Amino acid sequence: MIKRTIERVLSWIGIVLQLIGVVAMALFLPLMGNSDFKDTVVQSMQEQDSSFTKQDSTEILDILSSLITFGLVFSIIVLIIAIIAATLIGKKAKLAGVLLIIAGVVSILGNWINAILWIVAGIMLLVRKPKNDNDDNKVHTQDDDLEYLDKEEQSASHHQNDRDNNYKY
């Protein structure tokens, strides 16, 4: 069994960062619906650029509000995919790797730090293979010894045949 500590750490760091982003958007979204906040922003926009009308400013805020709502829903979906992948790392590494790569590619426009962490963890899950410890941890049995002796006997008889065969050299 291969240890997947690095992949788990990268995945969970990305999940925590994504969760912080989701919470920030969730806290900011109610402000967009607050009329006092809208009036303050509209007034500020008109002070900075006199060409903005109140209607233009309100439309811009409505578009911004819908973008934040879409981003919040999108971020929650990506967060759920990443959490599922992180919980599957020990059981189904290949599936977890594919899910993390999907979450990373999908979230690359939103939060590229998470995307990089998840893509790296996903690639590591797909590429890393367990070490082959046939010689280190193998328990030798009597059958293994017989097989080894058989190979030695075959080698010895092969060398005897070479010496008996005068025409070989």
Side-chain angles (χ1 to χ4, degrees):
M1 189 80 187
I2 188 168
K3 290 185 179 183
R4 299 287 187 178
T5 307
I6 296 170
E7 292 90 336
R8 281 189 177 97
V9 169
L10 291 175
S11 300
W12 284 105
I13 289 172
I15 289 170
V16 168
L17 291 174
Q18 184 76 10
L19 187 61
I20 291 170
V22 166
V23 169
M25 282 190 281
L27 291 176
F28 189 69
L29 191 59
L31 286 177
M32 298 302 289
N34 188 350
S35 62
D36 292 336
F37 178 76
K38 278 186 178 181
D39 291 340
T40 307
V41 172
V42 166
Q43 189 177 19
S44 172
M45 290 172 82
Q46 287 176 342
E47 287 175 2
Q48 288 180 2
D49 189 2
S50 60
S51 65
F52 276 120
T53 63
K54 184 170 182 157
Q55 184 180 4
D56 291 340
S57 302
T58 307
E59 287 176 7
I60 290 172
L61 285 177
D62 289 340
I63 291 171
L64 184 62
S65 177
S66 1
L67 283 175
I68 291 175
T69 303
F70 174 76
L72 180 63
V73 171
F74 190 72
S75 295
I76 289 172
I77 291 170
V78 170
L79 181 65
I80 290 170
I81 292 171
I83 290 172
I84 290 170
T87 57
L88 289 175
I89 287 176
K91 300 169 195 137
K92 297 182 179 182
K94 301 291 183 199
L95 177 62
V98 169
L99 288 174
L100 282 173
I101 290 174
I102 290 170
V105 168
V106 168
S107 71
I108 204 156
L109 294 176
N111 190 343
W112 57 271
I113 295 173
N114 296 347
I116 291 172
L117 291 172
W118 288 334
I119 289 172
V120 168
I123 291 172
M124 287 176 71
L125 284 167
L126 293 175
V127 173
R128 285 182 60 201
K129 304 220 184 302
K131 292 180 183 175
N132 192 3
D133 348 297
N134 287 341
D135 296 331
D136 297 338
N137 298 329
K138 187 175 181 182
V139 177
H140 292 286
T141 62
Q142 187 176 7
D143 293 337
D144 292 337
D145 292 338
L146 289 175
E147 184 179 318
Y148 179 72
L149 288 176
D150 288 343
K151 287 181 183 177
E152 276 187 358
E153 289 172 1
Q154 289 173 0
S155 177
S157 68
H158 181 67
H159 290 297
Q160 182 65 31
N161 289 342
D162 286 346
R163 278 185 258 143
D164 293 341
N165 188 355
N166 294 332
Y167 298 108
K168 182 170 183 172
Y169 300 106

